[in-house]
């Protein structure tokens, strides 16, 4: 399970529309395992496939043992995968409600955190690593993580949600970062 190199802000793949996954095979499982290893190494709580250079609808979330409301799965459709990590294949937000502020960062924008507007609650449909569909509802941190990672699969970064003034400040900050080179 090798750690993959992270794709950073300026790289075009982060802006590409991703392709749906149709093969739930060993290749997918290896990719998911690499994503988890990479996310742990980078101390992230979520990672989307484009962030390791793969333009496919795949994301993982692991908030660790944090004291936040757990996501709720509908029916018996709990996804199978590594303990504690939520793997989302072909995820889509099917409903949402409420508007709240969320302070976020992103492994592809190292060193930057800021507060943006998110939905308080979302329901997501997705498939697990074996292709089994499931639905999950979440509020607060899990809901923000779902929105952040699913945004990645649509070529959107959290800084796209900044207000106009904050975006100007962010651009100035960005120009000073060595990792852009
Ligand atoms: Co991110």
């Amino acid at each position: 399970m090798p750690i993959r190199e992270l794709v950073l802000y300026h790289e075009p793949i982060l802006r590409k529309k991703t392709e749906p996954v149709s093969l739930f095979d060993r290749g997918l499982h290896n990719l998911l395992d690499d994503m988890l290893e990479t996310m742990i190494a980078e101390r992230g709580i979520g990672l989307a496939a484009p962030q390791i250079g793969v333009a496919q609808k795949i994301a993982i979330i692991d908030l660790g043992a944090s004291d936040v409301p757990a996501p709720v799965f509908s029916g018996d459709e709990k996804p199978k995968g590594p303990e504690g990590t939520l793997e989302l294949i072909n995820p889509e937000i099917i409903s949402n409600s409420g508007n709240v502020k969320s302070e976020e960062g992103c492994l592809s924008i190292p060193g930057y955190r800021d507060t943006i507007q998110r939905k308080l609650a979302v329901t997501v449909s997705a498939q697990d690593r074996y292709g089994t569909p499931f639905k999950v509802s979440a509020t607060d941190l899990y809901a923000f993580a779902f929105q952040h990672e699913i945004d990645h699969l649509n070529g959107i970064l959290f800084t796209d949600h900044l207000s106009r003034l904050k975006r100007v400040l962010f651009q100035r900050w960005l120009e000073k970062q060595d990792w852009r080179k």
Side-chain angles (χ1 to χ4, degrees):
M1 287 207 292
I3 292 170
R4 306 280 192 106
E5 197 177 334
L6 276 180
V7 168
L8 298 181
Y9 183 84
H10 54 293
E11 298 187 50
I13 190 167
L14 292 179
R15 297 308 193 169
K16 269 181 71 173
K17 207 168 152 44
T18 50
E19 295 294 327
V21 172
S22 52
L23 275 179
F24 296 82
D25 59 359
R26 182 175 290 268
L28 174 67
H29 297 178
N30 288 342
L31 177 66
L32 284 162
D33 294 343
D34 286 358
M35 285 176 65
L36 180 55
E37 189 135 326
T38 305
M39 186 181 73
I40 290 168
E42 301 288 344
R43 300 174 187 277
I45 57 172
L47 188 71
Q51 293 182 279
I52 58 163
V54 176
Q56 291 189 306
K57 295 197 180 299
I58 304 167
I60 61 172
I61 292 170
D62 192 337
L63 299 189
S66 51
D67 191 17
V68 295
V72 176
F73 298 93
S74 70
D76 312 320
E77 308 160 9
K78 201 170 178 205
K80 295 198 173 65
E83 184 70 35
T85 304
L86 197 44
E87 297 176 333
L88 304 167
I89 317 298
N90 302 325
E92 267 181 60
I93 293 172
I94 52 176
S95 68
N96 64 52
S97 63
N99 292 301
V100 285
K101 287 192 182 347
S102 163
E103 198 207 318
E104 301 188 13
C106 180
L107 292 179
S108 294
I109 316 174
Y112 193 79
R113 293 188 70 79
D114 213 333
T115 302
I116 59 164
Q117 192 91 355
R118 288 286 190 199
K119 294 295 178 186
L120 170 64
V122 295
T123 297
V124 170
S125 73
Q127 287 164 279
D128 70 10
R129 59 162 63 204
Y130 302 100
T132 308
F134 64 93
K135 268 184 210 158
V136 57
S137 297
T139 63
D140 300 284
L141 261 192
Y142 269 100
F144 305 153
F146 284 134
Q147 291 167 80
H148 182 115
E149 300 311 329
I150 292 171
D151 268 356
H152 271 300
L153 304 182
N154 293 310
I156 298 166
L157 300 172
F158 87 93
T159 47
D160 297 348
H161 297 292
L162 291 170
S163 66
R164 199 177 297 179
L165 173 63
K166 277 185 170 182
R167 205 173 311 176
V168 172
L169 299 174
F170 169 62
Q171 286 299 337
R172 276 187 209 153
W173 176 88
L174 205 52
E175 281 157 23
K176 293 185 201 133
Q177 304 310 308
D178 291 338
W179 53 258
R180 286 204 79 192
K181 304 293 180 297

